[in-house]
Amino acid sequence: MKSSFVDIPDVAKVNICRYLKAVDLVNISLSSKLNFSKSVIGQAVRIQCDEEYSSVLSGKGSIEYSPRILYVAEVKLILCAVSSPQPLSGYGYWISSSWLSNSKKYFDAVQLPDLNEKKKGPGKGKKAQLMKIRQRRGSDCLPPWPDMNAEITCPHGNLSMNKCPRAKRRVVDKSSWQVLRRFYPQGSQFKTSTTLECPVCSEIQTNAKQTELQRLEEEKRSRQGEMQGVLCALSTRKTGVPSSCIYFRGPLDEATDRHNMPLKPGIYHLAPKAWLKIWRQFIKDPSLPSLPPLDCTGLLCAAHGLVIIPPHVDEYLYHGRKHLLQGLGEYPGIMYEILSGEEWDALQSSYGSPDFSVRFSCDGIDQIQW
């Protein structure tokens, strides 16, 4: 005589169901109400609640044991696990920080029924407001993905480097890890006391750093190789004026109410101090990818198309200002430096000519032509 599943004693069915989760109990109760009666499901839920979920269901009084109650207990237990602090000893298991953060927001926003109270209308008060805030915070969170450590597992199946993008991790204690592992069994397990970062990834990262350092060193030598003699002096200049072109400024000429020219006879150009600052950083720091084009259009009047002489340059050339860049305080406009003709030609040769430039000629006495 053939036996069927119906002939199995209820005690055996209860022992089978006691290892199932709430969603599994709901599925089997819907698929076979004859084999898995409400009484069998209730007994299995009661055993699980008494043995595994007593800490989160304590003090609930008399309740009807059903998959709904088991689901409440499971959510509360998971929420306790993801909210647990890091162990002070540092021993435990590595877990993805992003997975942990997403899971906490998701389960924190789940609205669970009160097991002691009967159904009521819409909640009011501080507790209801707090629940609405939690739901808003978790409204954009996805359900936790099955593999808790997918983001901290490298392509070789080992613990990824902590400095890798989206590979942040933290430690959870053994009990919290076992709870989470029960509901999310997929993926790798990394124990802090025995797990090291992937040696293959570490070697690749070390080689990549060495290659990058060599490339930056070669780029630095290449940029400094483009420096000519006049550009070397320009790269370290802080006064804004070529020292080899400075004249000794004489006393004030009472007839013209002007000082003698501070520059030797020659042709000079104006360049923005901000661009020169970037250029000086560019030739010293090979990690900067590119240099912006030289732009002198700030010296051009947008309304009339005429050249605007910067006030601090005008004071330096005509009105006895001792230093071009010092003592400007909170200067409202764009500051410019004075370049000799050789320095300007060297910049154009190495970095290209600007669309607009301003130069002036000085006779060394009292005449300047723009």
Side-chain angles (χ1 to χ4, degrees):
M1 181 177 181
K2 295 182 179 180
S3 61
S4 64
F5 196 83
V6 180
D7 300 329
I8 298 177
D10 288 347
V11 176
K13 296 178 183 178
V14 171
N15 289 330
I16 294 174
C17 295
R18 62 180 293 187
Y19 298 103
L20 300 180
K21 301 182 181 67
V23 63
D24 300 323
L25 293 177
V26 171
N27 291 333
I28 64 173
S29 63
L30 293 177
S31 62
S32 181
K33 293 183 179 180
L34 179 61
N35 292 328
F36 297 95
S37 63
K38 186 176 181 181
S39 174
V40 171
I41 299 296
Q43 292 180 46
V45 170
R46 184 181 62 182
I47 293 175
Q48 290 196 54
C49 291
D50 293 341
E51 294 182 357
E52 302 178 10
Y53 302 104
S54 58
S55 60
V56 294
L57 291 177
S58 59
K60 294 299 178 182
S62 59
I63 57 178
E64 179 184 358
Y65 291 100
S66 64
R68 173 172 169 268
I69 302 302
L70 184 59
Y71 173 74
V72 173
E74 289 174 352
V75 171
K76 289 188 175 183
L77 190 64
I78 294 174
L79 191 56
C80 290
V82 298
S83 304
S84 61
Q86 296 193 59
L88 298 178
S89 63
Y91 293 104
Y93 294 84
W94 291 115
I95 189 171
S96 170
S97 297
S98 60
W99 187 93
L100 212 59
S101 175
N102 179 81
S103 301
K104 187 177 185 305
K105 289 182 181 179
Y106 177 79
F107 286 110
D108 207 22
V110 175
Q111 188 171 5
L112 299 176
D114 194 331
L115 301 181
N116 281 339
E117 298 181 1
K118 299 180 179 180
K119 292 184 179 180
K120 296 182 178 181
K124 295 182 180 180
K126 186 175 181 181
K127 187 176 181 180
Q129 292 178 357
L130 182 60
M131 191 64 211
K132 289 182 180 180
I133 294 175
R134 291 178 176 177
Q135 289 177 346
R136 284 197 297 268
R137 289 177 179 174
S139 60
D140 60 340
C141 293
L142 297 174
W145 40 99
D147 189 350
M148 294 185 292
N149 287 336
E151 294 175 325
I152 64 173
T153 304
C154 74
H156 313 101
N158 302 320
L159 183 64
S160 63
M161 307 291 292
N162 195 29
K163 295 182 179 180
C164 294
R166 296 182 61 82
K168 298 299 181 183
R169 58 181 186 260
R170 55 159 291 184
V171 182
V172 294
D173 56 70
K174 183 179 180 179
S175 59
S176 299
W177 173 259
Q178 290 176 346
V179 169
L180 296 175
R181 195 67 168 175
R182 185 193 313 170
F183 296 96
Y184 303 96
Q186 296 184 20
S188 303
Q189 175 176 294
F190 303 118
K191 198 172 183 180
T192 57
S193 59
T194 58
T195 305
L196 299 177
E197 293 181 342
C198 179
V200 180
C201 292
S202 179
E203 183 179 0
I204 293 175
Q205 188 179 57
T206 302
N207 294 337
K209 285 183 178 180
Q210 292 178 352
T211 303
E212 180 65 13
L213 289 176
Q214 293 177 359
R215 187 193 69 80
L216 293 177
E217 189 63 28
E218 292 176 359
E219 180 67 20
K220 184 176 181 179
R221 287 196 298 265
S222 175
R223 292 179 183 180
Q224 292 180 349
E226 298 175 356
M227 301 284 291
Q228 303 176 13
V230 291
L231 291 184
C232 289
L234 179 61
S235 64
T236 58
R237 182 186 304 162
K238 297 182 180 180
T239 59
V241 182
S243 58
S244 60
C245 301
I246 297 178
Y247 252 164
F248 171 75
R249 189 189 296 272
L252 178 67
D253 188 348
E254 297 181 357
T256 59
D257 195 25
R258 289 185 177 182
H259 291 266
N260 293 335
M261 289 293 104
L263 300 176
K264 295 180 180 179
I267 297 177
Y268 300 91
H269 295 258
L270 296 183
K273 180 186 176 183
W275 184 89
L276 290 173
K277 181 179 180 180
I278 297 175
W279 168 73
R280 290 174 180 126
Q281 184 66 23
F282 174 77
I283 60 178
K284 294 178 181 179
D285 186 1
S287 63
L288 296 179
S290 60
L291 183 67
L294 178 58
D295 184 12
C296 298
T297 55
L299 294 168
L300 188 64
C301 176
H304 308 96
L306 301 176
V307 174
I308 302 175
I309 303 176
H312 70 290
V313 175
D314 181 76
E315 293 177 4
Y316 178 75
L317 294 177
Y318 294 110
H319 302 291
R321 182 180 181 82
K322 293 183 178 181
H323 305 284
L324 178 64
L325 300 178
Q326 296 180 10
L328 292 177
E330 296 181 0
Y331 186 73
I334 302 175
M335 289 187 286
Y336 287 83
E337 296 188 24
I338 297 176
L339 276 61
S340 65
E342 293 81 2
E343 293 171 342
W344 182 262
D345 293 339
L347 280 179
Q348 285 186 317
S349 176
S350 300
Y351 306 102
S353 303
D355 297 333
F356 174 79
S357 63
V358 173
R359 64 179 182 178
F360 63 92
S361 61
C362 173
D363 64 357
I365 303 177
D366 59 356
Q367 295 295 326
I368 292 181
Q369 294 184 352
W370 296 89

